[in-house]
Amino acid sequence: MQWRSHLPWTSWGRNLRGPFWPPGNGRFLLHWSQPLEACSADLPFRAFIRHQGSSVAGTAPPGRHGQLFRSISAMESVHWYRRSLAEWFIRLPREERQFGPTFSLDTGHVDPVIRESTPDELLRPPAEPTLAHPLPLVERHPLSLPQLFDPDACGRRVQTVVLYGTVGTGKSTLVRKMVLDWCHGRLPSFELVIPFSCEDLSAPGPTPISLYHMVTSRYPPLKEVLPLLDKAGPRLLFVLHGMERLNLDFRMESTGLHGDPEMPAVPTTIIVNLLRKFMLPEASILVTTRASAVGRIPSKYVGRYGEICGFSDTNLQKLYFQLRLNQPDCGHSANGVGTPITPAQRDNLVEMLSRNLEGHHQIATACFLPSYCWLVCATLYFLHVSTPVGQTLTGIYTSFLRLNFSGEILDSTDPSRTSLMAYAARTMGKLAYEGVASRKTYFSEKDVRECLESGVKTEEEFQLLHVFRRDALRFFLAPCVESGKHGTFVFTVPAMQEYLAALYIVLGERKTAWQRVGKEAAELVGRVGEDVSLVLSILTKLLPLRVLPLLFNLLKVVPRVFGRWAGKSREAVAQAMVLEMFREEDYYNDDVLDQLGASILGVEGPRRHPDEPPDDEVFELFPMFMGGLLSSRNRVVLAQLGCPIKNMDALENAQAIKKKLVKLGRQGLPPSELLDHLFFHYEFQNQHFSAEVLSSLHQLNLAGVRMTPLKCSVVASVLGSGTHTLDEVNLASCQLDPAGLHTLMPVFLRARKLGLQLNGLGPEACKDIRDLLLHDQCQVTTLRLSNNPLTAAGLALLVEGLSGNTSLTHLSLLHTGLEDEGLELLATHLERNQQLRELNVAYNGAGDAAALGLARAAREHPSLELLHLYFNELSPEGRKKLRELEGATPGRARVVASLTEGTALSEHWSVILGEIQRNLNSWERGRVQCHLSMLLRDLEDSRGATLNPWRKAQLLRVEGEVRSLLEHLGGPGS
């Protein structure tokens, strides 16, 4: 999965009578369905951080309100209106709350670039259609919000401004920010701003309504100032957001003149006459629309056109990420669980992201659209910050599309009212799936054109295609900037290709022409067969035609046979998905979450040489998204987008996937692939499904996988609720921390063997390990904590757990920094545990006295069989006393302090050398050389002291292995 490379915009709700739910820099939903409520406290004045095109223009000059709103009641009405409108627009949707409770549009907004355009540029058809939407060759004048209504080049006053842009350029966020600026007194050019959502005005079944009633029904506080609206002149601003929702007709025979704001008319008539300047001719009007609908307003009624160009400068992109990722409470988990991300980690994320942007990689092209900047931030939060319970990657992408496409109709003038997202799923999903099937991410313009124009035959279909190309194609595809790939196109972010391919499959769009015709024919034959059979059953009572009903009854079987054939097709898709998940070629690459993070932050280290052959494309997110899209939560959101997935289709797909997963999932998987398998179940969010598929999993080997808080949550969520016992859980070298141990506690309670070695766990981690050992459901028999700096302080907590534990039999504390204090502590408390059979405290820097004291305690222990003491700071006299201890005191415990036992080879010599070989590169080189030299001298002394040729041969062979280890470390070989 490689990165190929604008503030998400919004749809406002249908009813402008309730609270507005906007995202900070993303697509937001306005649900205006509640009455306005006056706030008792003054609205706080928030400091804005602004960049390009700042709308901050200072406070209003004194006395301005007195010119229009002289009466106290009018001034109070406007005051309450400002406060209510601000409270309305400041609210954040659920998707934005992940960025911290103090995040708001005030503290994290960056204005996209706005460039002035002319009607000639706007309405001139391109000579050759192109997929890309680059900035024009002629540099156009950039505009800031306060400059939108400045006089034009000829000095004429501008009264109507049209802002347009493709999907995702930030139209809605820009308008929302402008309204908030006015509410906070930072837009003094206007004394009254009245925003309308064209989605609300286009609601079906409009009844005639006057302009004044249209205002007061949505904004009751303005009743007092209605008589003053016709006197406000240019200081009154109407904001018409999402004009593409309205089918405006400026022909006189269709929409007559209407100039009385108190006379009822249909909403479109009022809007047309406002734009004609026949109603309230002095008022200022700001219109936002998608690019395809700009021509619906005759240019003679427009004073200025402005194209919202997104973040065409990487400095704007970097500023956006800095504001989003450096929130005061950024990194605090939404549910209060987990370790919050530190300021240093935040700075590191921002630095790596900035370097990737500066490298002119594909991510910079993607972040040209502010909506994808939002997606990048949301993905980084998912990967690096403790996320809310149930948050999934598929849910983030589905929410991202909801923020950008919810309620969007492709063309409001088309009777079919086709959902924009449904059209994208059918066309872009087909291109995405063909790319996944053929393992390619680069597409020529011919590829894209063939995919878009496939099946387009009528004039209406060509019109829908034209609108989609103009408004949304740039949202999904971007020109490739990689060397040698110019002229090709890629999906804006690599994961979007896999998401759309999965959506294309689960929606059932992948059908051949024969399958579509066959399904319709089967349904038709089935219905006809029932009717004909009923008629013939009546006729046979009168005529000798008893054979015919039997023949026609066979027609009823046709739909059932076709259904089984369709089921075979689902099984083929499930087979392809499972094979993609378990491809042997991907066994030793990073897990899918690390791949996703690397695609955003870049890969550290040397870059690939251009002449080297590229790696095979990896599509490991495709099966994850297929599972995630079948979850009930995502299906609800997709239904809101006009992409419903039927319950029966979801059930049949899930059954087909389960059949293949159960069959292929029993095979042993490398750690990274096993984590990918668990991540699939996490995305699916179906515990019953996961319990059935994973019932055969008895060994959880994730050794070497970097266990981030997210990965710990994934493993705990999928396996924590299971019932069967895990024979072994191996989490060696996983960079675990105490928070990760706490998260994984439900999994540890199901394990018999638990490996936590080489994780850098300190004394604070021993609290969770103690709680695990004391838990009444603990069934751990083998616990490996070697190569962790536990120290004696951590051991003090562990011995508390050992004292109350009844299951543990094997404990490894190899190289944990216990020293003399730790071994003395163990000697004192060892008798409190009566089940321990093997204890490894080798390589802990302990001296003769501490080692001898622990050995005596071990000999007195009723169940202990083996005590490892090699590689400690033992003198020759100390080792001699340990050997003498076995014959001098009763007990069953064997003490292993060297490779030899007198003149014989220790039966545990292979265990000692095995531990050394496994840890040779992680242990301190000088100390290991010293200890190996001592072991070598012991072997030589034993070989010289024995006359038994068999023993000499054995000792000589082990000497050779020790010498090879010394040579590997650079020490003397002989």
Side-chain angles (χ1 to χ4, degrees):
M1 181 177 58
Q2 303 171 3
W3 190 283
R4 326 285 181 205
S5 290
H6 109 215
L7 257 243
W9 35 249
T10 22
S11 75
W12 296 0
R14 299 183 183 278
N15 302 312
L16 302 180
R17 297 187 297 274
F20 180 34
W21 299 87
N25 268 4
R27 165 94 187 229
F28 54 86
L29 296 175
L30 285 175
H31 304 286
W32 293 2
S33 58
Q34 298 179 6
L36 285 170
E37 298 179 1
C39 302
S40 59
D42 290 336
L43 187 68
F45 187 95
R46 294 176 173 86
F48 282 59
I49 302 176
R50 309 290 299 176
H51 190 65
Q52 172 72 31
S54 172
S55 60
V56 180
T59 56
R64 288 276 297 181
H65 291 291
Q67 298 175 11
L68 181 60
F69 307 118
R70 292 191 178 94
S71 67
I72 296 178
S73 60
M75 293 175 65
E76 288 182 349
S77 296
V78 173
H79 173 70
W80 287 114
Y81 171 66
R82 283 178 183 265
R83 293 173 57 183
S84 300
L85 195 64
E87 286 298 321
W88 218 337
F89 275 64
I90 205 67
R91 298 182 184 180
L92 297 175
R94 174 173 46 85
E95 289 82 1
E96 292 288 16
R97 296 172 197 159
Q98 63 182 313
F99 295 111
T102 65
F103 175 80
S104 69
L105 188 62
D106 294 4
T107 60
H109 177 67
V110 180
D111 280 339
V113 174
I114 304 174
R115 298 188 184 275
E116 187 171 3
S117 61
T118 64
D120 291 339
E121 294 177 0
L122 187 63
L123 303 177
R124 184 191 308 125
E128 181 67 25
T130 178
L131 298 177
H133 188 62
L135 293 177
L137 297 178
V138 180
E139 185 66 24
R140 294 180 295 179
H141 179 60
L143 296 170
S144 63
L145 286 183
Q147 296 173 331
L148 291 179
F149 289 91
D150 286 354
D152 62 13
C154 299
R156 293 188 296 263
R157 181 161 58 94
V158 173
Q159 290 182 280
T160 302
V161 175
V162 174
L163 297 180
Y164 67 94
T166 59
V167 171
T169 48
K171 299 182 294 295
S172 296
T173 306
L174 194 67
V175 168
R176 177 168 165 255
K177 184 62 175 63
M178 185 178 183
V179 172
L180 285 174
D181 279 349
W182 177 80
C183 291
H184 296 153
R186 292 191 289 272
L187 202 62
S189 303
F190 304 103
E191 294 192 25
L192 191 61
V193 174
I194 302 178
F196 285 113
S197 166
C198 292
E199 181 183 9
D200 173 63
L201 299 178
S202 66
T207 56
I209 187 174
S210 68
L211 173 63
Y212 286 172
H213 188 205
M214 196 161 66
V215 171
T216 56
S217 63
R218 291 159 177 81
Y219 309 109
L222 293 182
K223 288 181 179 179
E224 294 291 334
V225 301
L226 284 181
L228 303 175
L229 293 186
D230 58 346
K231 302 176 183 177
R235 292 171 293 171
L236 169 63
L237 174 64
F238 287 102
V239 179
L240 304 175
H241 176 63
M243 191 270 297
E244 71 277 355
R245 304 266 189 171
L246 297 176
N247 189 10
L248 301 181
D249 192 344
F250 282 79
R251 294 175 301 174
M252 286 293 184
E253 64 269 21
S254 300
T255 307
L257 298 177
H258 182 82
D260 187 353
E262 299 184 28
M263 183 178 294
V266 294
T268 53
T269 299
I270 294 175
I271 298 302
V272 166
N273 281 280
L274 280 174
L275 293 169
R276 283 173 175 166
K277 295 302 176 184
F278 197 78
M279 181 183 294
L280 300 181
E282 295 296 318
S284 301
I285 300 175
L286 176 65
V287 178
T288 66
T289 183
R290 298 204 306 250
S292 64
V294 176
R296 296 184 189 178
I297 304 177
S299 59
K300 64 181 179 180
Y301 298 130
V302 180
R304 175 171 284 128
Y305 290 97
E307 181 181 11
I308 304 178
C309 298
F311 293 157
S312 55
D313 183 359
T314 55
N315 289 326
L316 295 178
Q317 300 172 6
K318 289 193 286 186
L319 180 62
Y320 180 98
F321 293 128
Q322 288 169 1
L323 295 179
R324 283 273 172 160
L325 298 175
N326 284 317
Q327 290 294 311
D329 50 4
C330 167
H332 290 276
S333 59
N335 53 5
V337 177
T339 303
I341 186 171
T342 65
Q345 292 171 319
R346 287 202 308 263
D347 294 341
N348 184 51
L349 286 178
V350 174
E351 177 64 24
M352 293 181 68
L353 193 53
S354 297
R355 284 203 304 267
N356 209 14
L357 291 171
E358 291 167 358
H360 303 290
H361 298 158
Q362 196 67 45
I363 184 176
T365 305
C367 292
F368 171 86
L369 299 174
S371 59
Y372 278 98
C373 292
W374 183 93
L375 180 61
V376 167
C377 286
T379 305
L380 287 177
Y381 263 72
F382 176 72
L383 293 175
H384 296 281
V385 182
S386 299
T387 55
V389 176
Q391 174 73 285
T392 65
L393 183 64
T394 312
I396 288 176
Y397 273 74
T398 306
S399 297
F400 168 69
L401 294 175
R402 184 184 69 84
L403 290 171
N404 285 275
F405 290 96
S406 180
E408 290 287 338
I409 301 300
L410 182 57
D411 185 3
S412 62
T413 63
D414 185 71
S416 65
R417 306 284 293 177
T418 302
S419 162
L420 180 54
M421 188 62 230
Y423 192 91
R426 187 168 64 250
T427 55
M428 291 293 95
K430 183 175 186 293
L431 180 68
Y433 179 75
E434 289 178 354
V436 171
S438 58
R439 310 199 67 76
K440 70 175 184 178
T441 56
Y442 305 95
F443 303 92
S444 66
E445 186 156 343
K446 179 182 177 182
D447 296 333
V448 180
R449 198 183 303 278
E450 289 177 352
C451 183
L452 290 174
E453 296 178 357
S454 175
V456 177
K457 298 178 181 179
T458 65
E459 180 64 26
E460 291 77 11
E461 291 173 341
F462 273 106
Q463 175 61 24
L464 292 177
L465 175 59
H466 170 74
V467 172
F468 180 79
R469 288 174 64 97
R470 189 94 186 264
D471 290 346
L473 188 58
R474 175 63 183 85
F475 182 86
F476 294 103
L477 292 180
C480 183
V481 298
E482 292 185 19
S483 176
K485 298 292 184 180
H486 296 294
T488 61
F489 301 90
V490 295
F491 280 85
T492 313
V493 294
M496 184 57 75
Q497 177 181 353
E498 298 173 77
Y499 179 92
L500 290 174
L503 182 60
Y504 182 73
I505 294 300
V506 299
L507 288 176
E509 295 290 346
R510 182 182 174 269
K511 294 186 181 74
T512 63
W514 170 245
Q515 285 176 318
R516 289 190 176 92
V517 172
K519 181 178 180 181
E520 295 174 0
E523 292 175 352
L524 178 62
V525 169
R527 288 195 299 269
V528 171
E530 291 177 1
D531 297 337
V532 173
S533 297
L534 179 62
V535 172
L536 290 180
S537 64
I538 298 174
L539 292 177
T540 51
K541 300 181 181 300
L542 305 173
L543 300 174
L545 300 174
R546 299 186 180 276
V547 177
L548 291 179
L550 179 62
L551 296 176
F552 278 98
N553 280 333
L554 295 177
L555 297 178
K556 299 179 182 180
V557 183
V558 173
R560 191 178 307 166
V561 172
F562 184 83
R564 291 183 179 178
W565 182 42
K568 294 292 183 182
S569 176
R570 288 192 180 91
E571 289 187 7
V573 172
Q575 174 78 5
M577 188 212 78
V578 173
L579 290 177
E580 184 66 44
M581 187 187 301
F582 296 127
R583 286 181 76 230
E584 291 186 7
E585 294 87 343
D586 303 334
Y587 270 12
Y588 301 103
N589 61 4
D590 292 335
D591 62 79
V592 68
L593 294 174
D594 282 349
Q595 293 178 40
L596 183 62
S599 71
I600 297 175
L601 299 175
V603 180
E604 297 294 327
R607 300 185 64 184
R608 175 186 300 278
H609 192 275
D611 296 334
E612 292 183 26
D615 292 334
D616 191 17
E617 296 293 348
V618 178
F619 296 99
E620 292 184 285
L621 272 178
F622 168 64
M624 313 302 167
F625 282 138
M626 273 199 67
L629 289 171
L630 292 176
S631 69
S632 58
R633 183 180 304 178
N634 286 312
R635 284 194 284 123
V636 169
V637 178
L638 287 172
Q640 298 171 1
L641 292 171
C643 301
I645 302 174
K646 297 179 180 178
N647 290 331
M648 283 303 300
D649 289 341
L651 178 62
E652 290 172 359
N653 277 306
Q655 289 175 342
I657 292 172
K658 181 171 67 175
K659 185 184 299 183
K660 300 301 179 183
L661 280 178
V662 170
K663 182 178 179 180
L664 295 177
R666 292 194 182 103
Q667 62 188 24
L669 295 173
S672 61
E673 293 298 305
L674 179 56
L675 182 67
D676 291 347
H677 187 194
L678 297 179
F679 185 61
F680 168 83
H681 291 277
Y682 177 78
E683 290 291 309
F684 195 19
Q685 294 283 300
N686 188 321
Q687 291 186 356
H688 180 70
F689 175 93
S690 299
E692 289 188 33
V693 174
L694 296 174
S695 60
S696 60
L697 179 67
H698 294 286
Q699 289 189 336
L700 180 65
N701 180 16
L702 298 177
V705 175
R706 185 173 60 92
M707 293 300 291
T708 63
L710 172 62
K711 295 175 187 177
C712 292
S713 298
V714 168
V715 175
S717 175
V718 174
L719 295 177
S721 58
T723 55
H724 72 281
T725 300
L726 296 172
D727 294 336
E728 183 176 4
V729 174
N730 186 0
L731 295 173
S733 302
C734 290
Q735 302 180 35
L736 278 170
D737 57 10
L741 293 179
H742 184 79
T743 303
L744 292 169
M745 188 66 68
V747 181
F748 295 163
L749 290 173
R750 297 174 51 195
R752 292 193 180 277
K753 296 181 180 179
L754 178 60
L756 298 175
Q757 58 270 34
L758 288 165
N759 276 296
L761 298 173
E764 63 279 1
C766 294
K767 297 178 182 178
D768 292 288
I769 301 174
R770 175 198 61 189
D771 295 341
L772 169 67
L773 294 175
L774 293 176
H775 200 284
D776 57 356
Q777 296 180 9
C778 177
Q779 48 188 325
V780 175
T781 59
T782 301
L783 178 60
R784 294 187 290 270
L785 295 172
S786 55
N787 296 296
N788 288 298
L790 302 179
T791 71
L795 183 64
L797 296 170
L798 281 181
V799 294
E800 295 180 22
L802 287 174
S803 301
N805 180 268
T806 58
S807 64
L808 192 65
T809 58
H810 295 74
L811 174 63
S812 175
L813 297 173
L814 170 74
H815 192 213
T816 51
L818 301 182
E819 299 183 340
D820 289 348
E821 182 183 356
L823 266 65
E824 292 169 359
L825 190 63
L826 273 174
T828 305
H829 295 84
L830 190 60
E831 62 179 358
R832 298 184 183 179
N833 184 291
Q834 299 296 310
Q835 287 77 34
L836 202 61
R837 295 166 54 191
E838 182 177 349
L839 177 62
N840 189 340
V841 289
Y843 197 9
N844 272 292
D848 293 347
L852 195 59
L854 181 59
R856 291 195 182 99
R859 295 287 294 177
E860 297 172 0
H861 197 276
S863 63
L864 196 63
E865 299 175 356
L866 193 60
L867 174 65
H868 299 261
L869 284 173
Y870 48 89
F871 266 40
N872 280 294
E873 304 302 320
L874 302 177
S875 65
E877 294 77 10
R879 291 198 299 275
K880 182 179 179 182
K881 290 181 179 179
L882 287 175
R883 285 195 297 269
E884 295 172 350
L885 186 65
E886 291 192 22
T889 59
R892 56 186 298 187
R894 301 286 302 275
V895 179
V896 181
S898 179
L899 293 174
T900 60
E901 295 178 359
T903 59
L905 191 66
S906 172
E907 62 180 282
H908 302 291
W909 69 268
S910 59
V911 177
I912 299 175
L913 291 185
E915 289 286 359
I916 296 172
Q917 289 170 345
R918 280 193 295 271
N919 299 283
L920 197 62
N921 295 323
S922 61
W923 285 353
E924 185 181 343
R925 186 176 294 263
R927 290 184 64 184
V928 174
Q929 286 179 343
C930 180
H931 285 291
L932 284 175
S933 298
M934 293 175 60
L935 292 177
L936 186 60
R937 285 195 298 270
D938 286 346
L939 289 168
E940 292 172 344
D941 293 343
S942 297
R943 182 164 54 87
T946 182
L947 298 177
N948 188 323
W950 175 246
R951 287 185 179 179
K952 283 182 177 289
Q954 288 181 316
L955 291 167
L956 192 61
R957 182 167 66 89
V958 177
E959 280 183 43
E961 294 193 24
V962 175
R963 291 180 194 277
S964 65
L965 291 175
L966 279 169
E967 290 175 357
H968 179 77
L969 291 173
S974 60

